[in-house]
């Protein structure tokens, strides 16, 4: 699939092959790696947190809604797609996400082999 994202104000494109999560990850499909104190699961090697108004202001994204990437696991699917800390995810499969809870719900609806679209803003995918 083709992904379009904006980083540093410039539109960029990349491609990704979507595969069955059970083949990509060594953990069971759908398992959320919640650890005590984690802001979100590390599904696809991506950890996110709520994009608060204060955080949005600090990264120059006032008024933006979504979740902010706080960590990317090395050699993960998210790392392969060049996600970085500070990227903001606004939609998953055309479903707006404005909190970690909405992000978890959207990710939880994904089925093995399903195409995934992620829309993000500014320094994002």
């Amino acid at each position: 699939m083709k992904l379009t994202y904006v980083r540093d104000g410039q539109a960029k494109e990349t491609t990704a092959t979507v595969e069955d999560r059970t083949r990509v990850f060594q953990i069971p499909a759908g398992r959320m790696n919640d650890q005590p104190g984690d802001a979100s699961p590390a599904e696809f090697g991506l950890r996110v947190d709520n994009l608060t108004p204060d955080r949005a202001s600090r990264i120059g994204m006032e008024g933006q809604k979504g979740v902010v990437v706080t960590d990317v696991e090395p050699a993960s699917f998210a790392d392969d797609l060049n996600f970085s800390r500070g990227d903001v995810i606004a939609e998953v499969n055309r479903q707006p996400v404005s909190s970690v809870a909405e992000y978890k719900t959207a990710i939880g609806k994904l089925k093995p082999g399903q195409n995934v679209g992620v829309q993000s803003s500014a320094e994002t995918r």
Side-chain angles (χ1 to χ4, degrees), residues 1 3 18 21 44 89-97 102-103 105-111 113-120:
M1 75 186 280
L3 296 173
V18 180
R21 287 186 273 188
F44 304 112
I89 299 172
E91 292 181 6
V92 175
N93 275 1
R94 298 184 184 180
Q95 179 180 345
V97 293
E102 290 177 1
Y103 173 81
T105 299
I107 294 297
K109 290 179 182 177
L110 299 176
K111 298 183 180 9
Q114 177 183 5
N115 288 337
V116 179
V118 176
Q119 198 227 316
S120 25

Side-chain angles (χ1 to χ4, degrees), residues 44-56:
F44 304 112
L46 193 62
R47 196 170 305 279
V48 299
D49 199 359
N50 291 316
L51 181 63
T52 62
D54 180 56
R55 182 176 269 166

Side-chain angles (χ1 to χ4, degrees), residues 13-109:
E13 290 185 355
T14 189
T15 57
T17 302
V18 180
E19 295 187 24
D20 184 335
R21 287 186 273 188
T22 59
R23 293 181 185 187
V24 177
F25 301 101
Q26 295 179 359
I27 59 173
R31 177 177 165 215
M32 300 297 205
N33 292 329
D34 288 324
Q35 300 293 325
D38 280 351
S40 73
E43 191 73 19
F44 304 112
L46 193 62
R47 196 170 305 279
V48 299
D49 199 359
N50 291 316
L51 181 63
T52 62
D54 180 56
R55 182 176 269 166
S57 178
R58 283 185 304 197
I59 62 174
M61 298 188 69
E62 294 84 359
Q64 176 65 45
K65 294 188 181 204
V67 293
V68 63
V69 174
T70 59
D71 190 37
V72 180
E73 293 180 1
S76 67
F77 182 68
D79 188 37
D80 288 346
L81 293 177
N82 295 319
F83 273 94
S84 300
R85 290 184 69 187
D87 288 348
V88 175
I89 299 172
E91 292 181 6
V92 175
N93 275 1
R94 298 184 184 180
Q95 179 180 345
V97 293
S98 59
S99 68
V100 171
E102 290 177 1
Y103 173 81
K104 285 181 181 182
T105 299
I107 294 297
K109 290 179 182 177

